[in-house]
Amino acid sequence: MKSTRLKTRIAGTAAAVAVLGGASLAMAPGAAAKANLISIERAQLRGDALSMTVKYSCDTGLKWQLVGKMTKVDQEEDATSLATATVPADKITCDYQDRVLKLKLKPTPGSHFVKGDEVQVTANYVAPGEQDDNGHLALITTVL
């Protein structure tokens, strides 16, 4: 009988250690890499100045540029209104933390934006020196 009682105690102790170890891992701060995220918080037109506010987070050690783009939704095919901004890699802090940036968008020649325009706004990470490849991590459609 003593050996059965000893085996039960050992098994119970092992189960308790496993449960406590799993609980402490679940409650510990994330040491694993989190995804490279971007969300567009706001897009606005103040006077003639276009801007967008983004919240971003990226893995430690990565070197990205952040590219933002605004395009007028209802426009003719031959007249595209577009505004872009690029934040260089040395201005992006990749450390798993959520950070907020305000991008000042520069309209391309011939672009025209006014209050009330419906626009599509995108944001993406790209490698330094590369241009936006029309991909995006974040996209919103809003009215200026």
Side-chain angles (χ1 to χ4, degrees):
M1 283 267 194
K2 285 187 178 184
S3 69
T4 305
R5 198 181 282 170
L6 180 62
K7 287 180 184 176
T8 303
R9 281 188 182 176
I10 291 172
T13 302
V17 168
V19 168
L20 290 174
S24 67
L25 282 176
M27 292 175 17
K34 86 181 205 185
N36 298 312
L37 305 172
I38 302 175
S39 66
I40 300 166
E41 304 295 308
R42 170 185 280 180
Q44 63 184 6
L45 172 66
R46 295 187 100 177
D48 290 337
L50 290 166
S51 66
M52 63 189 280
T53 305
V54 297
K55 184 189 289 185
Y56 75 95
S57 176
C58 49
D59 295 339
T60 299
L62 293 178
K63 297 292 181 199
W64 298 105
Q65 293 185 130
L66 196 146
V67 177
K69 185 176 10 176
M70 181 183 292
T71 309
K72 194 184 298 188
V73 173
D74 294 325
Q75 54 188 340
E76 298 172 17
E77 289 181 26
D78 59 341
T80 302
S81 289
L82 172 70
T84 61
T86 301
V87 180
D90 63 345
K91 302 290 184 198
I92 302 290
T93 304
C94 290
D95 62 359
Y96 303 125
Q97 301 297 315
D98 288 338
R99 300 193 175 269
V100 177
L101 279 173
K102 185 172 185 176
L103 286 72
K104 294 179 183 177
L105 299 164
K106 182 180 178 188
T108 57
S111 294
H112 183 68
F113 293 92
V114 296
K115 286 280 189 192
D117 281 346
E118 184 176 14
V119 293
Q120 184 178 62
V121 186
T122 63
N124 195 18
Y125 292 116
V126 296
E130 290 186 11
Q131 298 297 322
D132 183 23
D133 61 354
N134 293 327
H136 53 270
L137 283 177
L139 174 128
I140 65 168
T141 301
T142 189
V143 176
L144 293 175

